[in-house]
Amino acid sequence: GIPSFKYDKTVKLKIYPNPMKDYSMIEISPSVAGEAIITVVDMTGRQISQTQKYLYNSEQELRLSGLKNGFYLINVRGNNYQYSGKLLCTGHSDGTLRIEKVTNNIEVIDEKTSEMEKKGSWIVPMLPGDRFTYTGYSGNYGTVTTDIPTKDSTIVFDYIPCGDGIYYYVTVKIGTQTWMASDLKTNKLSDGTPINIGPNVPMLTPAFVGTNGSSTEYGNLYNWYAVNTGKLCPTGWHVPSTFADWGTLANYAGGDNLTKGGKLKETGTRHWIDPNYAATNEVGFTARPGGYNDGNYHSLGYLGYWWASDAVPGGSYAEYVALSNTSGGFMNMGNQSRYKYFSVRCIKDN
């Protein structure tokens, strides 16, 4: 019931959701890497827990659970830094406190730069079978690749331009296809024509709305009439068709129908509401749940809807695909009113 909001990037320690019911995430960006002491103190000053963990010099998350109803101070102390935050717990747990490390978004620490290349080296604790996702940038462009390291190797990034001069998109190659690695956020067509701002526009009018969250994180939502212009995506890209494009992606993801969708969903619960079932993001698609708009906003964090380019003949419906926080199924492929506002993910022309 707590609305999401964007945190100040200068804050070194963030705790959310706050108030906490079942658990909260502690997001921290230490000034230096090394061992840190994490202490939880109640409102009387009594120490509830103290644990030691190795933290990297980058943004990472810890999952805090098991607190009883009350007010607490969270303190993180490392080499030459100390960060504190307040937390209100309204839940009814058994008081068995747990602090678990859930992500390591490790940035390059030791970087050497020349005119032609950048190389970095770092030490990452891992287990056999762990999957790494790499995002490389070159100027305005970026690309995603994934790998399960088994030996020393070189990661090669193939930069494919994707943008309209204002917005530029990271891309990801998945099998024989190349997709945007995030949802569309443009407010104009590829020929420069501005798109009308919805949701209240005349019939058959191409339009968009922002998401109920941050358009930077989720992209915008578009009605199907914007899709049907054929100019919504950047030049050289198009809105995917149901079976030729989305269907090919589903087949490449592989596995059974209960897990295919999880291979496309962004992991964790920063954007997806818990439990974000079966999310692995194995192919680097990084699907986020922008919800939809039908005059009002719905399902941010719970569901992601993406338009297909296919119209349903003889009516006012068009096809779409969807992912849910409670399912690992690949997608619901169905049809909805063309007046609804869904996310759009573009695919590169052959």
Side-chain angles (χ1 to χ4, degrees), residues 295-311:
N296 295 293
Y297 288 103
H298 304 274
S299 302
L300 180 71
Y302 293 92
L303 293 165
Y305 295 85
W306 291 267
W307 280 122
S309 58
D310 310 79

Side-chain angles (χ1 to χ4, degrees), residues 134-275:
Y134 307 93
T135 304
Y137 295 91
S138 178
N140 290 324
Y141 303 112
T143 188
V144 173
T145 187
T146 64
D147 182 42
I148 300 177
T150 57
K151 60 182 180 180
D152 289 353
S153 60
T154 299
I155 304 299
V156 178
F157 296 102
D158 182 14
Y159 295 104
I160 299 173
C162 182
D164 58 12
I166 298 176
Y167 297 106
Y168 296 90
Y169 302 91
V170 173
T171 63
V172 56
K173 189 168 184 181
I174 304 174
T176 59
Q177 300 174 313
T178 300
W179 292 81
M180 287 181 175
S182 62
D183 292 334
L184 193 69
K185 52 191 174 187
T186 188
N187 57 9
K188 65 179 183 178
L189 300 178
S190 60
D191 62 3
T193 303
I195 306 172
N196 295 278
I197 299 175
N200 300 313
V201 294
M203 292 181 64
L204 311 182
T205 300
F208 80 97
V209 295
T211 55
N212 199 22
S214 164
S215 291
T216 301
E217 295 183 275
Y218 296 96
N220 287 325
L221 305 177
Y222 302 85
N223 65 16
W224 190 81
Y225 297 103
V227 171
N228 197 43
T229 64
K231 305 179 211 177
L232 185 56
C233 293
T235 302
W237 297 72
H238 64 274
V239 177
S241 63
T242 304
F243 294 105
D245 294 323
W246 287 113
T248 298
L249 179 62
N251 290 335
Y252 182 83
D256 58 46
N257 291 332
L258 299 178
T259 60
K260 285 184 178 182
K263 296 180 181 181
L264 307 184
K265 292 196 295 180
E266 180 186 61
T267 57
T269 53
R270 182 166 185 172
H271 296 105
W272 287 94
I273 300 296
D274 191 62

Side-chain angles (χ1 to χ4, degrees), residues 7-15 26-32 55 57-60 76 81-85:
Y7 289 97
D8 180 354
K9 292 298 185 182
T10 63
V11 177
K12 297 294 186 179
L13 179 69
K14 308 166 190 175
I15 304 173
I26 302 173
E27 183 180 298
I28 184 169
S29 300
S31 56
V32 294
L55 300 180
N57 180 23
S58 64
E59 183 180 288
Q60 57 219 284
V76 180
Y81 70 85
Q82 181 168 296
Y83 310 131
S84 296

Side-chain angles (χ1 to χ4, degrees), residues 56 106-110 119-125 132-134:
Y56 296 94
I106 300 170
E107 300 171 347
V108 173
I109 296 171
D110 179 20
K119 293 182 179 179
S121 60
W122 61 95
I123 298 173
V124 182
F132 282 64
T133 299
Y134 307 93

